[in-house]
Amino acid sequence: MPARKIDIADGRAALAAVAAGDAPRPALATAVRYLLQLLDEKAPGNSVEVRVPPFGAVQVVQGPRHTRGTPPNVIETDAATWIALATGELTWADAVAAGRVLASGTRADLADLLPLRP
C-alpha cells in the first residue's frame, strides 16, 4: 500500500486525465495507485499481491499471510490494463484470455472484485 493515501479528488482527477487521453506520467501513476488503494479498501488482506509496474503493488484478499520471498498468489499487469479492469472497460476473463494479465496461484483471480467503480 502506498505510504501516502491518495485523496479522492486527486484520484478522480487523475482518472479523468487518463480517460481524456495523453495523460502525463504523474497522472497515470496517481490513477494506478488510486485504483490499487480502492482495491485494498474493498478486499483487505495479504494473500494476493497485485503488481502494476513501475507504479505500484498491493497485497489484498483475506487468507494466508505472505511475508517473505515471492508470494504464492501474484497478479501482474500494465497500467492501461489495470485501469481498464478496475473501471470496467475490460473484464477479467477477457484480459486473462488476451494475455494482458499474468496470474499465478490458486487465489490469483480478481473477477469477483472488479470493476471497482471509483
Side-chain angles (χ1 to χ4, degrees), residues 24-41:
R25 185 173 170 89
L28 180 62
T30 298
V32 166
R33 291 178 185 134
Y34 177 63
L35 292 169
L36 287 171
Q37 176 180 300
L38 292 179
L39 178 63
D40 183 52
E41 291 169 2

Side-chain angles (χ1 to χ4, degrees), residues 1-117:
M1 192 66 224
R4 177 181 68 87
K5 187 171 181 174
I6 297 169
D7 181 72
I8 293 170
D10 293 340
R12 289 183 176 174
L15 286 172
V18 169
D22 296 327
R25 185 173 170 89
L28 180 62
T30 298
V32 166
R33 291 178 185 134
Y34 177 63
L35 292 169
L36 287 171
Q37 176 180 300
L38 292 179
L39 178 63
D40 183 52
E41 291 169 2
K42 184 175 186 177
N46 296 93
S47 68
V48 178
E49 185 166 296
V50 180
R51 300 174 180 168
V52 186
F55 301 116
V58 66
Q59 288 189 358
V60 295
V61 182
Q62 291 293 324
R65 182 173 178 84
H66 170 77
T67 57
R68 294 179 48 184
T70 301
N73 301 289
V74 176
I75 296 166
E76 187 167 324
T77 190
D78 62 274
T81 301
W82 170 241
I83 291 169
L85 283 165
T87 60
E89 295 175 26
L90 179 66
T91 68
W92 178 260
D94 289 344
V96 171
R100 295 177 63 183
V101 171
L102 300 175
S104 64
T106 58
R107 302 176 64 90
D109 185 339
L110 298 180
D112 291 340
L113 298 172
L114 299 173
L116 298 171
R117 307 250 188 247

